[in-house]
Amino acid sequence: MTDTTASSTRRETLGFQAEVRQLLDLMIHSLYSNREIFLRELISNASDACDKLRFEGLHNPALFEDDPDLVIRVDYDAAQRTLTIADNGIGMSRDEVIANLGTIAKSGTREFFARLSGDQQKDAHLIGQFGVGFYSSFIVADRVTVVTRRAGEKPDQGVRWESEGAGEFDIEMTAKPGRGTEITLHLREGQDDLLSGSKLRSIVRRYSDHIVQPIRMRKEEWKDGKPERQSGEETVNQASALWARPRSEIGDEQYKEFYKHVGHDFEDPLAWTHARVEGRSEYTQLLYIPSRAPFDLWDRNARHGVKLYVRRVFIMDDAEQLLPAYLRFVRGIVDSADLPLNVSREILQESRDIEAIRGGCTKKVLDLLAHLAGEDQAKYAKFWGEFGRVLKEGIGEDPANRERIAGLLRFASTHADTADESVSLGDYVGRMKSGQQGIYYVTAETFNAARNSPHLEVFRSKGIEVLLLSDRVDEWVVGHLTEFEGKPLVSVAKGGLDLGALEDAAEKDEDRHEADEFKPFVDRLKASLGERVKDVRVTRRLTESPACLVADEHDMSANLARMLRTAGQPGPAWKPILEVNPRHPVVARMRDQERSFDDWASVLFDQALLAEGGQLDDPATFVKRINQLMLEMNAGAPGASAG
Ligand code: ADP
């Protein structure tokens, strides 16, 4: 048992959270071939710490003490075999050190650990997605020492943390005259090539050139083929805001490295857009689409990724007002020239400038996606696979951009007949038959249920394409998206089927004739099924099945009703319309049937429910009826022998 208050000045050994141990192990083994990234991660953290100080210093200038110039230092000691990365940023208190360097506090952690497979190669990929951060120092070091002091604390309130990256770490209070954090890496065997000014400079320039703060290193001069330390320091990066430079001066690699810093991502981004906007509101935006969904994509409380700067001063992470929720996967920065430096989240919510920025950023991202969809379908397919379901939310959330978002949606369809979502509404409209009025779709719980739905039969026979929607949010999408390019979206499982000009005069004539001819039969069926149906009618919808269920024009779809029921929501009692196929032999036979008519009617209804993925209220009775009918058929068949 440890008494934390009394022992806080003494040296204490604490255990890592179990997940940290697992992460460390995975990191060391799976990221070894990428070992140089540890420096990028530590410099990225140092830069964030400087940004935070600069922001807090706006309200509390005393935090700068007498050291106002923020700087990151990288140095090495060949004799001690150590590297140090130091910053004079915000620093950490003892509690912060324990929380930040002993546990993993980010959202998505549970999902991440749940997905680990134990297969190092696969997991290496996941770890990149999860973000590596501080713990990556153990890739090259077998002991890491952190000495830190939070800005504003007294010089004796420093904290020293040390660990060998196994199960535990030591922590104690120590003196630290300057604020900020100094991290010392005691290199593993075989890492001595890092003890070189030119090697470190090249890593810094490669991965951290975009860092806003100067990264300083001791000067070196080459003498007799060997580097010699000089007094004095030099800045080894450009030390200016990348986004403020003209696009023509920024290479793709620099854009990518900057993304890894702002996005806390390990992989390259899929695409980005960089623009300076002038007009009513003046700002610069540099926005990225990641290659992969983060673990916390579905966590509504997760961070939203876009950082807000005001005239190059960092203001806040995750400024969720900068983009609508359906674009929460976007990472990057917005730098406003108009907002006051003391802007708070509350002010942002009401700011007209923010409204303009949000509108502009949304448009830029949608433009970028449209461009990607047009230029690089493989890339767009990758985007769609990762973020398509989030983008769909925009159909309901952003009415002003609905048509643009609709153009970005991708669906499975009877045209391709694969589960791949690759058909756009534009493709569909381009392939519409002459005389076709609407964009037809079916919703179901799975792709196969959609593809095999009896409602598609007449469309198949006439070669009319139907979109196959099997994502849960699709019901919601079609609830909000009623038309595209002036063409209505029409469910094939709802309302009366009106194929309009797609049916010729002879077919329409036949329809009317059949409706009359089958009227008495339909009435009998309706009486027999009673409360279970809203109506019964003959249909042209079917070519192979005897019957199907449809929802009334303004009722919710069967699929949605089922979804609500499984979610435990007491939706209104859902009553379908039973449609029967007058050309089907079973129906023809039933028309003349007297015996067991009610059983036949029930079986017809139940099989229609099953065929579209529904569940029977009373499966046992269904089975009993089937068996009964099979026996009767056998007995009734001419020439049937009893044994
Ligand atoms: P991430 O940076 O993705 O949050 P890390 O594991 O790299 O994850 O760091 C965890 C936390 O430790 C950071 O969020 C930050 O609060 C703190 N931290 C890391 N390095 C520093 C530093 N140089 N100065 C101040 N705080 C730091």
Side-chain angles (χ1 to χ4, degrees):
M1 291 273 236
T2 35
D3 173 353
T4 47
T5 42
S7 62
S8 64
T9 50
R10 281 206 320 265
R11 188 181 177 96
E12 245 188 301
T13 301
L14 300 175
F16 281 124
Q17 182 194 15
E19 283 86 350
V20 176
R21 255 177 274 166
Q22 217 180 328
L23 187 73
L24 279 167
D25 196 47
L26 193 60
M27 182 105 55
I28 294 162
H29 291 101
S30 61
L31 289 181
Y32 188 74
S33 55
N34 256 317
R35 61 174 188 138
E36 289 173 0
I37 56 105
F38 80 90
L39 194 54
R40 169 183 87 195
E41 299 295 318
L42 295 181
I43 289 175
S44 183
N45 282 346
S47 173
D48 287 345
C50 291
D51 272 347
K52 279 182 203 153
L53 176 71
R54 196 139 70 117
F55 178 66
E56 285 191 23
L58 292 173
H59 307 275
N60 182 6
L63 292 181
F64 282 105
E65 300 168 11
D66 48 9
D67 182 15
D69 297 323
L70 298 171
V71 55
I72 299 166
R73 289 196 166 79
V74 175
D75 202 359
Y76 68 94
D77 182 331
Q80 297 292 321
R81 299 186 60 257
T82 58
L83 299 183
T84 52
I85 294 90
D87 65 70
N88 58 353
I90 193 73
M92 285 178 272
S93 67
R94 183 177 184 277
D95 287 348
E96 286 169 328
V97 171
I98 293 175
N100 293 333
L101 310 184
T103 62
I104 308 172
K106 54 178 131 196
S107 53
T109 303
R110 201 157 36 89
E111 291 81 351
F112 170 71
F113 282 98
R115 269 210 254 166
L116 289 181
S117 65
D119 174 335
Q120 247 162 40
Q121 270 199 318
K122 278 193 207 146
D123 292 348
H125 227 75
L126 292 180
I127 209 176
Q129 251 178 296
F130 186 64
V132 289
F134 168 79
Y135 299 111
S136 67
S137 37
F138 287 99
I139 303 172
V140 297
D142 51 17
R143 184 153 56 93
V144 177
T145 312
V146 178
V147 178
T148 184
R149 173 168 70 78
R150 191 141 204 324
E153 294 289 347
K154 297 197 182 72
D156 64 352
Q157 290 297 302
V159 182
R160 186 173 184 281
W161 176 102
E162 187 167 85
S163 176
E164 293 179 358
E168 52 194 32
F169 58 88
D170 294 327
I171 189 159
E172 66 187 322
M173 299 305 283
T174 183
K176 186 172 188 302
R179 65 155 194 271
T181 304
E182 180 177 294
I183 298 178
T184 303
L185 309 185
H186 307 264
L187 295 182
R188 291 178 188 277
E189 288 293 333
Q191 300 294 332
D192 291 28
D193 61 321
L194 293 169
L195 299 169
S196 139
S198 59
K199 174 84 187 173
L200 292 172
R201 275 175 176 72
S202 91
I203 301 177
V204 169
R205 289 201 181 108
R206 178 146 161 231
Y207 295 114
S208 308
D209 194 49
H210 58 79
I211 292 291
V212 186
Q213 295 81 16
I215 301 169
R216 314 269 295 163
M217 288 186 66
R218 264 199 285 172
K219 279 188 187 153
E220 267 176 356
E221 205 165 272
W222 287 73
K223 277 206 178 121
D224 309 325
K226 275 210 250 148
E228 204 168 84
R229 293 290 184 96
Q230 304 284 301
S231 60
E233 286 181 334
E234 61 184 349
T235 299
V236 298
N237 62 332
Q238 289 207 38
S240 74
L242 177 107
W243 62 87
R245 294 182 220 158
R247 279 194 307 213
S248 57
E249 287 173 23
I250 310 173
D252 281 2
E253 283 311 313
Q254 286 172 306
Y255 274 121
K256 289 178 187 171
E257 288 308 332
F258 182 68
Y259 164 73
K260 290 174 188 173
H261 168 60
V262 286
H264 290 259
D265 197 352
F266 188 76
E267 281 185 66
D268 285 343
L270 198 65
W272 59 86
T273 166
H274 180 194
R276 195 184 152 79
V277 180
E278 276 159 20
R280 196 166 75 70
S281 175
E282 196 178 317
Y283 60 93
T284 299
Q285 59 194 6
L286 173 50
L287 302 174
Y288 293 90
I289 312 285
S291 300
R292 238 174 237 282
F295 285 93
D296 54 14
L297 187 62
W298 299 104
D299 179 353
R300 283 249 157 202
N301 303 317
R303 50 188 188 190
H304 285 262
V306 176
K307 291 186 191 225
L308 176 65
Y309 286 75
V310 171
R311 295 180 287 282
R312 319 276 162 80
V313 178
F314 168 78
I315 304 294
M316 67 181 79
D317 278 315
D318 330 328
E320 67 270 8
Q321 289 86 1
L322 295 177
L323 279 173
Y326 71 93
L327 296 179
R328 62 183 173 273
F329 50 84
V330 172
R331 299 284 179 264
I333 66 99
V334 167
D335 187 348
S336 161
D338 309 317
L339 291 168
L341 280 170
N342 62 358
V343 66
S344 64
R345 281 189 200 268
E346 291 68 41
I347 293 175
L348 282 188
Q349 261 155 11
E350 270 136 44
S351 156
R352 300 268 241 87
D353 288 310
I354 284 292
E355 238 176 77
I357 294 176
R358 181 181 164 107
C361 288
T362 303
K363 184 173 171 310
K364 276 283 173 207
V365 173
L366 295 178
D367 282 349
L368 174 63
L369 292 175
H371 177 79
L372 206 59
E375 297 293 303
D376 193 335
Q377 295 195 358
K379 252 192 192 175
Y380 191 74
K382 185 160 167 40
F383 161 77
W384 184 256
E386 296 289 326
F387 302 112
R389 287 172 61 202
V390 184
L391 190 68
K392 282 178 186 174
E393 297 171 8
I395 292 288
E397 272 174 28
D398 190 355
N401 285 304
R402 186 171 293 156
E403 184 87 0
R404 295 160 62 96
I405 301 167
L408 294 169
L409 302 181
R410 293 294 180 271
F411 300 100
S413 120
T414 52
H415 182 77
D417 224 21
T418 68
D420 289 346
E421 296 182 340
S422 61
V423 173
S424 71
L425 292 173
D427 297 337
Y428 184 102
V429 170
R431 283 196 287 263
M432 275 168 66
K433 298 251 180 222
S434 80
Q436 183 178 344
Q437 311 269 314
I439 298 172
Y440 293 106
Y441 68 87
V442 63
T443 57
E445 242 167 312
T446 62
F447 169 72
N448 277 329
R451 180 172 57 173
N452 297 321
S453 161
H455 301 106
L456 300 183
E457 290 174 8
V458 69
F459 295 90
R460 278 238 165 73
S461 72
K462 289 185 177 292
I464 302 168
E465 181 170 6
V466 179
L467 300 175
L468 306 171
L469 314 188
S470 55
D471 189 345
R472 294 177 69 84
V473 303
D474 287 338
E475 283 289 351
W476 195 73
V477 170
V478 295
H480 288 91
L481 185 69
T482 49
E483 58 167 54
F484 178 75
E485 291 182 1
K487 310 268 187 278
L489 267 79
V490 180
S491 164
V492 300
K494 255 185 167 185
L497 178 69
D498 179 10
L499 291 175
L502 295 169
E503 266 191 328
D504 56 30
E507 284 175 314
K508 285 199 199 317
D509 222 36
E510 205 183 324
D511 286 355
R512 267 192 295 276
H513 178 71
E514 276 167 354
D516 290 342
E517 191 188 335
F518 278 76
K519 175 112 190 3
F521 167 66
V522 159
D523 288 343
R524 260 171 87 205
L525 257 183
K526 204 170 156 181
S528 171
L529 292 170
E531 281 301 295
R532 298 166 75 185
V533 292
K534 194 166 181 177
D535 198 3
V536 178
R537 62 194 181 206
V538 288
T539 187
R540 282 209 80 76
R541 224 183 281 270
L542 304 171
T543 59
E544 290 157 35
S545 307
C548 69
L549 300 179
V550 298
D552 208 356
E553 188 75 47
H554 299 292
D555 286 354
M556 67 172 83
S557 74
N559 186 51
L560 181 57
R562 267 196 297 277
M563 268 166 51
L564 292 178
R565 223 173 305 134
T566 8
Q569 295 193 25
W574 185 78
K575 260 198 212 172
I577 296 169
L578 178 70
E579 291 193 348
V580 294
N581 174 4
R583 286 164 300 263
H584 197 280
V586 166
V587 174
R589 184 164 168 187
M590 266 182 90
R591 204 153 70 112
D592 309 320
Q593 177 90 10
E594 284 301 336
R595 191 159 53 124
S596 314
F597 185 84
D598 287 342
D599 285 337
W600 282 68
S602 283
V603 169
L604 197 67
F605 178 89
D606 286 348
Q607 63 157 291
L609 187 62
L610 285 174
E612 61 153 51
Q615 275 186 350
L616 301 180
D617 274 347
D618 182 0
T621 303
F622 173 74
V623 170
K624 222 181 268 168
R625 284 194 181 114
I626 290 279
N627 288 333
Q628 182 63 31
L629 293 179
M630 285 166 95
L631 285 173
E632 281 177 19
M633 248 160 63
N634 204 23
S641 82

